[in-house]
Amino acid sequence: MDKHLPKGLKKKKRNWKRWIPFYIMFIPGFLYVLVNNYIPLYGLQLAFKQFSFAKGIGGSASVGWKNFRFLFASNDATIMIRNTVLYNVFWIFLGVFVGITSAILFNEIRNKTAKKFYQTSILLPYLMSMVVVAYLAYAFLSPNTGLINKGLMEGLLGKEGIKWYSDSKYWPFILTFVHQWKGIGFGMLLYLSALIGIDTSYYEAATLDGATRWQQIKFITLPLLKPTVLMLVTLSLGQIFRSDFGLFFQVPMNQGAIYSTTQTIDTYVYRTLLVNNNYGMSAAASFLQSVVGFIFIVTANAVVRKLDEKSSLF
Amino acid sequence: MKAKKIMSMLLGLTLSTSVLAACGTPATTAGTTAAPAATTTKAGETTAEGTTAAPTQSGITSEIDMNEEPFTVAIQVVTLPGTAFEGTEDREAAINAIMEPAINAKIDIQEVWISELNNTTTMAVAGGEKIDLVHVGTVQKLSSMVGQDLLYDMNTENLLQNRGQELVAIFGEKIKSGYVKGQQLAVPARVFNASAKGFSYNKDLADKHGIVIPEKGDFDVLGKALKDIKAAEPDMIPFYTGSGELNFLTWMGNFDGFGSEASYGVIFDAEKEAKVENLYASDYFKDYVLRMWQWKQDGLISGDTTDTRTTQELYAAEQLFTTVVGIEEMQKLQYASMNPFESAYVEMVPVSVSNGSLTEYMWGIATNSERPDKAMDVLNFIYKNSEVANILNFGLKDVNYTMVEGSEVSVQQNGTYLPIFLRIGNTAEMMIQAPANEETLINMKKMEDEAKVSEITFYMFDNSEFGTETSVIASTIKEYLPRLQSGTEASEEATLALLEEFKSKLVASGIDDVIAANQAQLDAFLAQ
């Protein structure tokens, strides 16, 4: 049969067999995405239904956009959307700056033992549960027994303690600090892996040309990190309408006095539906977050494609 | 190279298989419960128990099929978080030895922590997991389960009337408390529902310091008691509001509340006027928050809303002097068995059978139960057979409890099995925790017979059309109640300003619409 085929096609036909191992290796990831991401899309219709346990998803009555009302019914709608978006935007860019800086600094460490020690201690917070982190924060911020109030304010400075969990103005800083402290390890690793991939001959050539360390970072490291940065920022923008529930719920201990700076869409959905158990409303909130995230990621990618086509995701 | 290719292929195949295997077992589709067999009535025929069946209505037969395979009914037994009782299989075996020959059914005890009851129930029903008898009330209010079809209508083919005859006989009119939106979704769990509202206190400590507290009182009496103990024991917490999320007026306030934390309104005096009002806009609540603020200044409450300890653990550890409580014999017995000191009680609101007390503990049948008829058989049997009810409530003799010498009903539990939130069985026929005895049962019956029953006792608000409003109201209450109840504001003026802010936010959340709808439904109910 083969001898009747054109020469090029014969070679292609023979060559496809060498890709089989790769397709087999591809299957687990594909199945995972299919089962975890695509099949559940069937449940999106819950956002437009009054879910009945007796009738199931397919049989439940349709209610149109009614399930989305609760997100905007409260005066808090503006606050929670503002908090969610602003925290995310600020932390995306802060995360880039802190991640790159720490990766570059880490890369400069020559002592292997020190390097391992720093890597472990920087990454350790990332592996901690947010519940543990919340109690660590409480140990510092507790109004009656916290280290800052008892040890520092009253003990050392002789001043009255601050009611941390009653005053909302401190929380943008507290949450930013906790978020960065917990996430810096992982961010650093991402950029470090890109850093290590940069060809060292560039640095050697630059050294020979008399470039200083800062000039090498400015003209070699940062430009070559640009594709990684753009990719990670674009992906992060897809999560702009979501927040770390553990961070915004556990760390502020769910205190109503500080909702103005700690309430996000996810915590609002949790509180409102805790009593109601309304699956339709919960699905509606998640649906809205996904749609907004999708719009952001497509727009961001379009902008990146215009500026630098090679750095765009798609 | 070839070996590497083969290894990578094998790894890929292994991972693929594990992903597929992890997809789980096919869940039963919700809504495909087997319909109970519907046959013609057989009134007057002898049941498996040997007693003659009461005249039945059309629909499902009142007879139990003893020839089919025994069906296992899963029942929720609600416990304190963190508890894990040993010997569940032994208790199940002991119950099944009695139950199976009688009604051809077996029991599967599912212990659930109260903190996870809501999620466990909804996930089990949604996921088609085995669940038959559902604990309704306490933290999972019947009103919140109505619109989601979580519970099976017990009036389907007259299931309750024909197979739940013992329940109907015991509860009589009180069965109506589980009737909402034209469906019988639950039945009361407690035979005796009369309770007073008030607080308990550590009597040993009060006696030690000569603090005398009358048996009946009000907030002033409570305030004086707290000041007295504060003076005598400076390290003792006089009163504890914890995170402040639970509205303590539920246990101390003289009103009938609707919804969690009175989010659907309250009626202050049902006998005078069945008018639904906004509790949080009332002078009653204003006086309450100002009092709590003053108590915070006087050091009678800690006012720390970040404190997540529970009242029960502090009271049992003798770190807390008072705790709010629904005053009734079973509650007193529980405190007597749990705490290493004697408790005394102060009644703030007289004994009554309220909608709240009836719906606080109920039993429902899950909508995805494969055999609602067998679930009803088991529930009915437990209320008929005190031996089974005793095993469920107290465990096994000489393993989990011993009999008090000289008593045939009084048991001394040893702490190995304490299903603190379980209410099941005909209390009048069952054993009872020491120090209670035969006389206690007589008192409980007397209390029940003499208790005030208001005309709104059996009314239930259907909130299914107000999902958005009730959700937002609940969130708003959670945002403000802790601060107001814990007296955290800097001054009385600040407290009043916060209260005003709370009231306007509730109005913006739609509480007036919900209350108006509640009133309309109540008027229709009373007119019937």
Side-chain angles (χ1 to χ4, degrees):
Chain A
M1 198 79 163
D2 257 0
K3 60 187 178 196
H4 299 296
L5 291 169
K7 217 177 185 179
L9 201 54
K10 272 190 223 173
K11 203 175 173 185
K12 256 194 183 170
K13 220 173 154 339
R14 273 200 294 276
N15 280 347
W16 70 264
K17 286 183 187 174
R18 59 186 279 263
W19 296 106
I20 292 176
F22 299 100
Y23 280 117
I24 290 174
M25 282 191 281
F26 157 76
I27 290 172
F30 170 71
L31 279 177
Y32 178 82
V33 171
L34 179 71
V35 167
N36 211 45
N37 294 66
Y38 283 93
I39 291 177
L41 284 176
Y42 168 76
L44 270 180
Q45 59 184 304
L46 262 179
F48 302 94
K49 295 205 170 188
Q50 171 77 26
F51 180 64
S52 162
F53 286 89
K55 295 171 190 165
I57 296 177
S60 296
S62 175
V63 292
W65 297 95
K66 189 178 167 193
N67 287 334
F68 291 84
R69 270 180 49 213
F70 87 104
L71 287 166
F72 305 101
S74 160
N75 291 346
D76 293 333
T78 319
I79 292 171
M80 67 180 181
I81 292 170
R82 176 201 72 187
N83 287 346
T84 308
V85 173
L86 287 184
Y87 275 122
N88 277 326
V89 168
F90 178 57
W91 288 349
I92 284 169
F93 294 105
L94 181 66
V96 169
F97 173 75
V98 169
I100 292 176
T101 308
S102 52
I104 291 171
L105 290 173
F106 184 83
N107 200 38
E108 296 302 312
I109 301 172
R110 296 287 165 242
N111 185 309
K112 280 188 183 169
T113 311
K115 206 162 186 165
K116 282 184 183 168
F117 172 75
Y118 290 130
Q119 188 169 330
T120 305
S121 44
I122 288 171
L123 193 58
L124 201 60
Y126 182 77
L127 304 171
M128 273 187 198
S129 154
M130 195 54 85
V131 176
V132 173
V133 173
Y135 277 100
L136 276 176
Y138 185 68
F140 281 88
L141 302 175
S142 169
N144 298 325
T145 56
L147 195 64
I148 293 178
N149 276 0
K150 279 289 174 201
L152 184 65
M153 300 294 290
E154 292 172 20
L156 274 176
L157 301 175
K159 289 185 176 177
E160 201 183 321
I162 298 172
K163 289 182 182 174
W164 300 100
Y165 291 95
S166 300
D167 200 337
S168 58
K169 66 173 181 276
Y170 300 107
W171 283 88
F173 306 101
I174 295 171
L175 291 172
T176 300
F177 177 81
V178 172
H179 181 262
Q180 291 306 309
W181 171 77
K182 198 172 184 307
I184 188 176
F186 189 73
M188 183 195 78
L189 278 183
L190 285 174
Y191 293 111
L192 189 63
S193 60
L195 257 180
I196 293 169
I198 297 173
D199 192 341
T200 51
S201 58
Y202 291 131
Y203 296 104
E204 286 166 9
T207 308
L208 286 171
D209 288 341
T212 61
R213 201 75 194 108
W214 168 243
Q215 284 173 323
Q216 288 177 31
I217 291 170
K218 193 173 162 192
F219 295 111
I220 301 173
T221 309
L222 292 179
L224 289 175
L225 277 181
K226 194 175 83 171
T228 307
V229 169
L230 286 174
M231 182 190 73
L232 291 174
V233 168
T234 309
L235 284 173
S236 298
L237 284 172
Q239 303 298 314
I240 198 142
F241 234 46
R242 297 187 195 280
S243 58
D244 183 342
F245 178 80
L247 176 67
F248 285 96
F249 187 83
Q250 303 283 1
V251 176
M253 307 283 282
N254 191 26
Q255 295 300 299
I258 51 178
Y259 275 10
S260 61
T261 52
T262 63
Q263 172 137 270
T264 60
I265 295 170
D266 294 273
T267 59
Y268 177 77
V269 169
Y270 176 78
R271 279 188 207 104
T272 48
L273 300 183
L274 196 60
V275 172
N276 216 340
N277 276 329
N278 192 312
Y279 280 37
M281 287 183 186
S282 174
S286 190
F287 184 90
L288 181 68
Q289 287 176 308
S290 298
V291 166
V292 171
F294 173 75
I295 292 170
F296 266 85
I297 207 172
V298 166
T299 309
N301 190 69
V303 169
V304 167
R305 200 168 55 239
K306 276 250 183 294
L307 296 172
D308 182 1
E309 197 174 335
K310 283 185 227 163
S311 299
S312 63
L313 286 173
F314 48 84
Chain B
M1 191 62 187
K2 200 173 181 183
K4 280 187 185 175
K5 271 191 191 173
I6 293 169
M7 285 300 293
S8 58
M9 279 170 66
L10 283 172
L11 181 64
L13 283 167
T14 309
L15 283 171
S16 312
T17 314
S18 62
V19 167
L20 287 170
C23 288
T25 55
T28 57
T29 308
T32 57
T33 57
T39 63
T40 53
T41 55
K42 295 186 181 180
E45 290 216 25
T46 307
T47 66
E49 281 291 303
T51 58
T52 309
T56 56
Q57 302 183 20
S58 62
I60 189 170
T61 175
S62 59
E63 277 202 5
I64 297 168
D65 184 355
M66 299 300 289
N67 296 320
E68 63 175 347
E69 274 295 303
F71 185 81
T72 302
V73 169
I75 180 171
Q76 286 185 330
V77 170
V78 181
T79 62
L80 274 174
T83 51
F85 300 122
E86 288 183 4
T88 305
E89 293 83 8
D90 297 333
R91 287 190 284 280
E92 285 173 350
I95 292 170
N96 291 339
I98 305 166
M99 192 180 282
E100 196 176 334
I103 59 168
N104 202 25
K106 294 197 271 192
I107 204 165
D108 168 27
I109 295 172
Q110 294 180 350
E111 287 170 13
V112 183
W113 295 347
I114 193 160
S115 53
E116 294 174 2
L117 180 60
N118 239 335
N119 276 342
T120 304
T121 307
T122 51
M123 296 305 285
V125 175
E129 289 171 27
K130 174 112 178 111
I131 180 170
D132 296 291
L133 290 171
V134 175
H135 177 117
V136 178
T138 323
V139 295
Q140 189 166 249
K141 300 289 181 195
L142 177 61
S143 55
S144 70
M145 298 169 93
V146 168
Q148 297 167 19
D149 295 335
L150 271 167
L151 300 172
Y152 183 79
D153 179 11
M154 295 176 182
N155 280 344
T156 306
E157 297 183 282
N158 289 309
L159 178 66
L160 177 62
Q161 298 299 330
N162 291 351
R163 296 283 269 268
Q165 291 166 10
E166 190 69 23
L167 294 166
V168 172
I170 290 172
F171 291 110
E173 211 184 19
K174 291 176 194 163
I175 283 244
K176 287 187 211 168
S177 58
Y179 185 81
V180 60
K181 215 178 167 185
Q183 297 176 307
Q184 185 70 43
L185 296 180
V187 294
R190 295 186 294 193
V191 172
F192 301 119
N193 291 279
S195 71
K197 293 185 186 181
F199 61 93
S200 70
Y201 63 93
N202 186 328
K203 191 170 186 304
D204 290 351
L205 210 54
D207 289 346
K208 180 182 165 189
H209 295 290
I211 297 171
V212 176
I213 305 173
E215 286 184 358
K216 294 188 183 189
D218 54 16
F219 278 103
D220 290 331
V221 167
L222 175 56
K224 184 179 177 306
L226 299 181
K227 283 182 181 157
D228 289 345
I229 198 63
K230 179 75 182 170
E233 295 263 353
D235 292 336
M236 168 77 61
I237 304 170
F239 191 76
Y240 182 72
T241 52
S243 65
E245 285 188 4
L246 292 176
N247 189 339
F248 277 55
L249 283 177
T250 305
W251 291 276
M252 298 190 289
N254 195 359
F255 55 77
D256 288 295
F258 301 97
S260 63
E261 318 320 325
S263 49
Y264 308 155
V266 300
I267 294 179
F268 283 106
D269 190 343
E271 282 181 4
K272 193 172 156 191
E273 188 189 9
K275 185 181 173 201
V276 184
E277 298 178 61
N278 180 358
L279 170 69
Y280 302 105
S282 66
D283 288 336
Y284 187 82
F285 186 73
K286 179 179 157 190
D287 291 340
Y288 172 68
V289 299
L290 287 175
R291 184 187 294 274
M292 299 309 277
W293 180 84
Q294 188 58 52
W295 283 2
K296 167 75 166 65
Q297 307 314 305
D298 297 340
L300 304 181
I301 59 175
S302 69
D304 182 2
T305 54
T306 61
D307 196 339
T308 55
R309 293 175 296 176
T310 64
T311 309
Q312 286 89 357
E313 73 185 71
L314 288 170
Y315 190 65
E318 298 185 76
Q319 293 175 14
L320 173 65
F321 181 61
T322 58
T323 173
V324 295
V325 71
I327 303 172
E328 42 100 6
E329 292 300 318
M330 294 304 286
Q331 181 65 56
K332 289 182 184 177
L333 296 171
Q334 252 174 18
Y335 270 25
S337 66
M338 276 168 58
N339 301 321
F341 53 86
E342 189 186 347
S343 291
Y345 299 85
V346 177
E347 181 186 294
M348 294 174 73
V349 178
V351 174
S352 68
V353 174
S354 65
N355 182 272
S357 62
L358 272 174
T359 59
E360 192 177 357
Y361 293 94
M362 304 188 92
W363 285 105
I365 297 173
T367 196
N368 69 327
S369 171
E370 287 176 40
R371 292 288 302 274
D373 58 323
K374 299 306 290 184
M376 181 59 75
D377 286 341
V378 167
L379 186 64
N380 191 63
F381 187 74
I382 293 171
Y383 277 85
K384 193 170 192 170
N385 188 299
S386 56
E387 205 179 336
V388 167
N390 286 332
I391 297 172
L392 265 175
N393 280 278
F394 303 110
L396 301 171
K397 190 179 171 189
D398 299 327
V399 175
N400 306 116
Y401 70 89
T402 50
M403 297 303 295
V404 169
E405 207 174 311
S407 173
E408 286 181 10
V409 299
S410 196
V411 307
Q412 188 64 53
Q413 291 179 283
N414 59 20
T416 54
Y417 178 62
L418 289 172
I420 192 169
F421 296 106
L422 178 68
R423 302 286 189 273
I424 197 164
N426 186 350
T427 320
E429 308 285 324
M430 284 164 54
M431 298 190 298
I432 198 162
Q433 267 169 264
N437 50 31
E438 287 83 340
E439 199 182 325
T440 312
L441 288 171
I442 295 169
N443 291 340
M444 286 168 75
K445 187 161 188 329
K446 188 165 174 267
M447 190 176 173
E448 190 77 10
D449 291 338
E450 291 173 357
K452 188 178 75 168
V453 179
S454 91
E455 56 178 357
I456 64 165
T457 297
F458 309 123
Y459 164 70
M460 174 75 63
F461 173 55
D462 171 17
N463 73 344
S464 48
E465 295 302 312
F466 295 92
T468 296
E469 289 82 356
T470 54
S471 300
V472 180
I473 290 167
S475 175
T476 307
I477 292 173
K478 276 195 190 327
E479 185 179 346
Y480 286 89
L481 185 62
R483 283 181 281 170
L484 290 167
Q485 197 160 228
S486 304
T488 56
E489 297 306 293
S491 64
E492 259 195 21
E493 291 72 28
T495 303
L496 289 171
L498 187 66
L499 179 59
E500 288 305 312
E501 192 181 311
F502 178 34
K503 280 155 59 177
S504 26
K505 240 183 160 176
L506 279 176
V507 169
S509 304
I511 197 168
D512 291 340
D513 295 332
V514 172
I515 286 174
N518 194 358
Q519 184 72 66
Q521 287 185 25
L522 176 62
D523 291 341
F525 170 82
L526 293 172
Q528 286 177 2

